[in-house]
Amino acid sequence: MPQDVEFTMPVESRVSPELDRARRRHLDWVQASGLVTGDEALHRYEASRVADSAAYGFPEAVGADLDLCFDLLGWLFLFDARFDPRSDARPDTPSDPLSDPPCDTPNRRTDAAIAVCQDLVGLLRWPKPPAAPARPVVAAFADCWRRMGRGRSEEWRRRTAHDWVDYLAGWPTRIADRAHGVPPDPAAHLRARRRTIGVRPLLALAERVGDFEVPLLAWHSTHLEGMRIAACDAVVAMNEIHSLEKDEARGYPNLVPSLVHHRGLSRAEAVRQVCGTVERSVASFVELRAGLPQLEQALGAGRMPELARYADAHAAWIRGYHDWGRAAPRYTAPAGPENPGPEHLGPENLAAPQPN
């Protein structure tokens, strides 16, 4: 199974000691937020353990910081499940989870998806409480964004908002590409996945829960951008391997069949190439991490301990995703309605604006 693949990771395996507590509290939050409604949906969401990735990716986080990480990771997975082609949404689905009134045609569902992205982009650019009644997916993100920005500088808010806007803009791009019907080549597939994998906003979250900020000039350096790209590519490639069997069963885009189609590789050769992407990305990160003292010296600003902490956040998330992904029911359970993953939650579960 693809989940049996184990990669060489730059740090030891770790997990927050408050995983169980945070999971119980997070289940209350997704219900109170209206993201998951009904006992059956809650049971499936709980069994999916998707938000547990927070405890692996942020192993030092505890208390309210870990709660924020759980809520944001849960939101990301529930949001992705409704926009990603890995979702079980079908043209005959009776209603769309993000619209009001319900959408009963593909075009109306596409319009609703783009409208939600626009609402969220507006929230990031002009921060204010969402208009009531707001869709649960918008109101829940507003709650996370408020907590995420607490105590942060204006510069951090601006660059983090930019990362979120780029993440959100990636979904209409994928909708348009799916409508076009032309399978993207491997390079285009990887570029699109870098935007929608969510790693960049999560690295900003690491600054928030770690209570540090990368100095402005260093953050904008090509060196740190290379670290971010390496982390994104490592997580994307691992995700493509972990989800390969499910994607193949449903005919969804994946880097492995893209390599088969465009490069003429066998499936086994394509899997090895994607695994090689993980190894090369991790090696690139390790090399860039070792070069941080030279970056500090070149910038002439003295020692920057924030850079080491930022690199630690990259390493923790790469290793954390690896450990969580190899055991996550989202990937290990067979494709089909028996899989308790969030992509199987009924369309009503992210529906409707909340009542007044």
Side-chain angles (χ1 to χ4, degrees):
M1 291 179 64
Q3 291 76 26
D4 293 334
V5 177
E6 187 166 4
F7 301 98
T8 302
M9 291 289 111
V11 293
E12 65 180 355
S13 179
R14 298 173 60 204
V15 63
S16 171
E18 293 190 6
L19 185 156
D20 291 336
R21 178 207 62 78
R23 180 195 295 140
R24 291 191 297 271
R25 178 253 162 217
H26 172 68
L27 292 174
D28 292 336
W29 182 82
V30 293
Q31 291 180 92
S33 300
L35 290 175
V36 176
T37 60
D39 292 341
E40 176 61 21
L42 181 64
H43 170 72
R44 290 186 172 192
Y45 180 74
E46 180 179 11
S48 74
R49 300 293 174 90
V50 290
D52 282 13
S53 55
Y56 290 88
F58 304 96
E60 294 185 356
V62 294
D65 288 338
L66 184 60
D67 293 341
L68 171 59
C69 296
F70 257 80
D71 293 347
L72 195 56
L73 263 297
W75 182 90
L76 272 169
F77 278 109
L78 287 165
F79 182 82
D80 288 3
R82 293 299 137 189
F83 286 82
D84 197 332
R86 290 183 174 90
S87 168
D88 279 345
R90 302 178 302 275
D92 60 346
T93 300
S95 64
D96 185 88
L98 297 170
S99 66
D100 184 41
C103 292
D104 53 8
T105 69
N107 287 340
R108 291 182 66 190
R109 282 193 298 277
T110 296
D111 291 344
I114 293 173
V116 168
C117 286
Q118 290 173 331
D119 286 348
L120 290 165
V121 168
L123 177 68
L124 288 159
R125 287 180 170 169
W126 302 282
K128 59 182 179 180
R135 293 181 178 92
V137 71
V138 175
F141 181 81
D143 175 50
C144 290
W145 179 240
R146 175 185 56 80
R147 288 185 282 155
M148 192 174 175
R150 189 176 294 154
R152 298 296 92 195
S153 70
E154 188 58 33
E155 171 57 32
W156 181 95
R157 290 172 182 270
R158 280 196 296 267
R159 60 176 168 83
T160 304
H162 174 82
D163 284 341
W164 276 113
V165 168
D166 189 59
Y167 163 80
L168 293 165
W171 290 116
T173 298
R174 296 189 73 182
I175 291 171
D177 289 346
R178 293 202 303 274
H180 187 204
V182 178
D185 64 54
H189 181 87
L190 182 57
R191 286 195 302 271
R193 294 288 284 137
R194 280 176 185 161
R195 297 178 73 187
T196 57
I197 196 67
V199 168
R200 295 177 72 102
L202 293 175
L203 291 173
L205 177 62
E207 293 179 81
R208 157 65 175 79
V209 299
D211 195 24
F212 71 94
E213 291 186 19
V214 176
L216 175 62
L217 194 58
W219 192 91
H220 285 286
S221 69
T222 299
H223 195 104
L224 289 199
E225 179 62 13
M227 276 180 33
R228 287 187 287 269
I229 290 173
C232 285
D233 287 357
V235 173
V236 165
M238 283 189 283
N239 180 266
E240 300 295 280
I241 294 296
H242 292 159
S243 61
L244 176 58
E245 290 176 342
K246 298 177 81 66
D247 289 346
E248 287 179 328
R250 296 168 181 159
Y252 296 153
N254 185 288
L255 190 54
V256 170
S258 177
L259 287 165
V260 171
H261 177 78
H262 289 279
R263 305 280 173 82
L265 304 181
S266 69
R267 183 182 186 275
E269 289 170 336
V271 167
R272 285 194 294 272
Q273 186 157 324
V274 176
C275 290
T277 297
V278 177
E279 300 289 357
R280 288 190 297 274
S281 298
V282 171
S284 176
F285 162 72
V286 171
E287 181 179 0
L288 289 165
R289 184 186 200 180
L292 288 178
Q294 288 73 31
L295 177 64
E296 291 178 345
Q297 184 177 7
L299 293 178
R303 186 169 178 271
M304 298 180 183
E306 300 89 351
L307 299 191
R309 299 189 66 185
Y310 194 51
D312 289 346
H314 287 63
W317 188 249
I318 294 170
R319 178 60 194 246
Y321 177 82
H322 170 269
D323 293 348
W324 170 81
R326 293 183 70 230
R330 176 181 176 88
Y331 305 122
T332 59
E338 69 278 8
N339 181 354
E343 65 269 30
H344 291 285
L345 296 178
E348 71 279 4
N349 294 310
L350 291 181
Q354 293 175 326
N356 289 324

